[in-house]
Amino acid sequence: MTIQPARLSDPAVRAFVTAVNAHDRDAFMDLLTPDATMSDDGADRDLAEWIDNEIFSSHGHMDVDAESDGGHALIAQYRNDTWGEMRTAWRFTVTPDGHIARFETGQA
């Protein structure tokens, strides 16, 4: 059963999923710390290049199936125009002021 983004526990993670699904690059970038990092399938990637390729230019969309760790870990069906749909795991490092310093994703 899909969890609606508005029901996600952590406000930063909720805003992340909302921005991805709305294809709102400005809102997405506002969530990140200036030195934010990310990894995909265990390998660190260039953040700007990855989000362009995997989210914004390919119409990424997340349907969240489960959350844990206070809302900082998600299992989601992720789809985009490049790869189609896959079951993915997401983990977020959220700063005390509510920004995302790092996110990690990969196939679940």
Side-chain angles (χ1 to χ4, degrees):
M1 175 146 186
T2 301
I3 301 171
Q4 295 302 313
R7 294 188 164 294
L8 294 172
S9 300
D10 184 271
V13 174
R14 181 183 324 132
F16 181 99
V17 173
T18 300
V20 167
N21 290 350
H23 307 116
D24 187 339
R25 183 186 179 88
D26 290 338
F28 182 94
M29 295 305 294
D30 286 346
L31 292 168
L32 303 179
T33 62
D35 59 349
T37 61
M38 64 83 53
S39 71
D40 185 359
D41 284 330
D44 278 10
R45 306 294 173 106
D46 178 273
L47 178 71
E49 182 180 304
W50 191 90
I51 64 172
D52 281 342
N53 292 337
E54 301 296 334
I55 299 175
F56 295 107
S57 69
S58 62
H59 307 103
H61 188 89
M62 298 174 75
D63 288 322
V64 178
D65 294 331
E67 69 172 346
S68 58
D69 191 25
H72 293 161
L74 304 177
I75 298 294
Q77 294 296 325
Y78 186 80
R79 66 181 176 273
N80 66 25
D81 293 346
T82 303
W83 304 107
E85 186 166 323
M86 66 192 84
R87 185 171 169 84
T88 56
W90 298 76
R91 176 160 292 285
F92 299 89
T93 302
V94 180
T95 63
D97 69 351
H99 288 86
I100 295 172
R102 180 172 176 80
F103 66 93
E104 300 170 359
T105 187
Q107 292 197 47

